[in-house]
Structure formats: structure tokens, C-alpha cells
Amino acid sequence: MLARKCLALTGTFETSRKPPVCFGEATGNFDGAGVSFGVLQWNIGQGTLQPLLRRIHELDPKVIPHATADKYDDFAYWILERKATKDQLKYVQTWQKGETLTHEWDDNLYEIGSSEAGTQAQVEFANDYWEKGVALAKELRLFSERGYALCFDICVQQGTLKEKGRNTYKSNSELSANEEVRMEFVAKH
């Protein structure tokens, strides 16, 4: 499926890891987000990781308890239940040495993210980006796999193509019929 292929490609950019490893990649609090996780680096600070972890738990209630073992009760209390983000950020600091995850939590999160339920939940949560990317690709007349991948990545990184770039693209009468030329133009704007 093209959507999953594009997700894995963008995950490689986001995590510097190839599939399937990028689905289980986690990083510590180097950016103030607490913990960033998975193929698109959902995080605690923005409140995007907690719903993803809840969905993984819904899909397979055994994955997180197995991965977190004797730390599951605290994990469930602080992360799976709805707590204030500031309190969740304090909790995930216990998973880290400085700004880096401990080896144990790095392994725990890898097991969660790379599980079948973890991968499925990440694919589901990336669907909004995919739909926006498809709409952008159609608007820009980019119909190759590479065109869809570019538009998907733009939507992940920026939400969509910035208005200035979109207007410049639409007003440029010199844009070639060659999709590769148009893609290069979009990537630069």
C-alpha cells in the first residue's frame, strides 16, 4: 500500500532509522517534548503520544504490560489514564538520564512501537496526514509515488504547503509539464 510505504519513508527521515525499526524508535527530552516516539515522533509534550499509546493498548492489551513489566502500573496510571501533560512530562523524566532515554525504556518503547498493534496504530494515526498529502498532490498535479511521498512528507513537516509556496507554484507559468521539475519546485518552496 502506497500510504504505508510513504509513512515508512517519512519515518526514516524523522528517526534516522529504516523500517521496521523506525516504528519503535524513541528519543528523550532533547527538545522539551518529554519523549518522542514512533515513525512520526508523536510526543508527550504536544499530547500526541498519549492517544497513540492508548490505541495500541486497545488493539492489543498485552503489548504494553509485557514491554513495561513491573513498571506497567505506573505507566498505565501516568500515561494511559488522562493526566495533566505537565505531570506526564515529570513522569517520563524518570525514563531518562539527562536528555537521553535509559537503555531499559528505549527497549520498552521499541517493543511497543514495533509490535503489530504498535505499527497498526501508527498507520491509523498517520491517516490524516496521508489524506492531506493526497489532496495536496492532486492540487499540484503530482501523481507519481514520489509526488505522493513528497506531499505526504510536506504535510507531516508543515501541515501543508505554505501559502506563499502554493501561490508561487500556481502563478508560475514556466513550470514544466515534467512532474520531476514541478516536484523540485515544490520541495524548494
Side-chain angles (χ1 to χ4, degrees), residues 11 70 83 89 137:
D70 63 333
K83 302 293 178 194
L89 285 167

Side-chain angles (χ1 to χ4, degrees), residues 23-27 35-37 49 53 67-68 75 95 101 104-115:
F23 284 88
E25 186 66 18
T27 57
V35 170
S36 298
F37 169 81
L49 178 53
L53 291 167
T68 58
F75 183 95
W95 302 358
L101 288 170
E104 176 185 25
W105 275 104
D106 194 42
D107 288 348
N108 295 346
L109 292 169
Y110 179 79
E111 183 177 334
I112 293 167
S114 62
S115 68

Side-chain angles (χ1 to χ4, degrees), residues 1-2 8 22 26 42 58 62 64 79-80 82-84 97-98 101 104 108 112 120 131 139 150 181 188:
M1 173 175 197
L2 183 56
C22 60
W42 289 276
E58 287 173 8
K62 296 175 188 167
I64 294 175
I79 302 300
L80 298 180
R82 287 166 171 52
K83 302 293 178 194
K97 282 189 174 179
L101 288 170
E104 176 185 25
N108 295 346
I112 293 167
Q120 180 181 338
E131 289 177 4
E139 177 186 337
L150 172 64
V181 171
K188 290 179 179 178

Side-chain angles (χ1 to χ4, degrees), residues 124-137:
E124 287 176 16
F125 273 56
N127 192 51
D128 286 344
Y129 294 114
W130 176 249
E131 289 177 4
K132 288 179 186 177
V134 167
L136 181 61

Side-chain angles (χ1 to χ4, degrees), residues 20-175:
V21 176
C22 60
F23 284 88
E25 186 66 18
T27 57
N29 193 28
F30 72 94
D31 58 0
V35 170
S36 298
F37 169 81
V39 69
L40 296 185
Q41 293 291 280
W42 289 276
N43 65 74
I44 296 289
Q46 292 180 342
T48 56
L49 178 53
Q50 299 89 319
L52 176 68
L53 291 167
R54 286 186 204 108
R55 180 62 179 144
I56 293 168
H57 194 60
E58 287 173 8
L59 290 169
D60 188 343
K62 296 175 188 167
V63 169
I64 294 175
H66 183 268
T68 58
D70 63 333
K71 296 183 176 21
Y72 173 72
D73 289 340
D74 285 341
F75 183 95
Y77 178 80
W78 288 108
I79 302 300
L80 298 180
E81 293 182 20
R82 287 166 171 52
K83 302 293 178 194
T85 301
K86 65 180 177 58
D87 295 331
Q88 292 173 322
L89 285 167
K90 287 179 188 172
Y91 169 66
V92 298
Q93 285 175 352
T94 66
W95 302 358
Q96 302 174 53
K97 282 189 174 179
E99 297 175 347
T100 306
L101 288 170
T102 64
H103 184 68
E104 176 185 25
W105 275 104
D106 194 42
D107 288 348
N108 295 346
L109 292 169
Y110 179 79
E111 183 177 334
I112 293 167
S114 62
S115 68
E116 186 175 324
T119 301
Q120 180 181 338
Q122 290 179 68
V123 168
E124 287 176 16
F125 273 56
N127 192 51
D128 286 344
Y129 294 114
W130 176 249
E131 289 177 4
K132 288 179 186 177
V134 167
L136 181 61
K138 287 178 181 177
E139 177 186 337
L140 301 176
R141 298 174 296 123
L142 302 174
F143 299 114
S144 67
E145 281 190 11
R146 289 178 61 211
Y148 282 108
L150 172 64
C151 291
F152 174 74
D153 192 60
I154 288 169
C155 289
V156 168
Q157 301 300 325
Q158 303 176 171
T160 191
L161 184 62
K162 296 196 185 307
E163 191 169 337
K164 182 179 177 184
R166 188 181 250 125
N167 291 339
T168 304
Y169 180 89
K170 288 178 181 177
S171 67
N172 191 332
S173 61
E174 295 180 18
L175 276 177

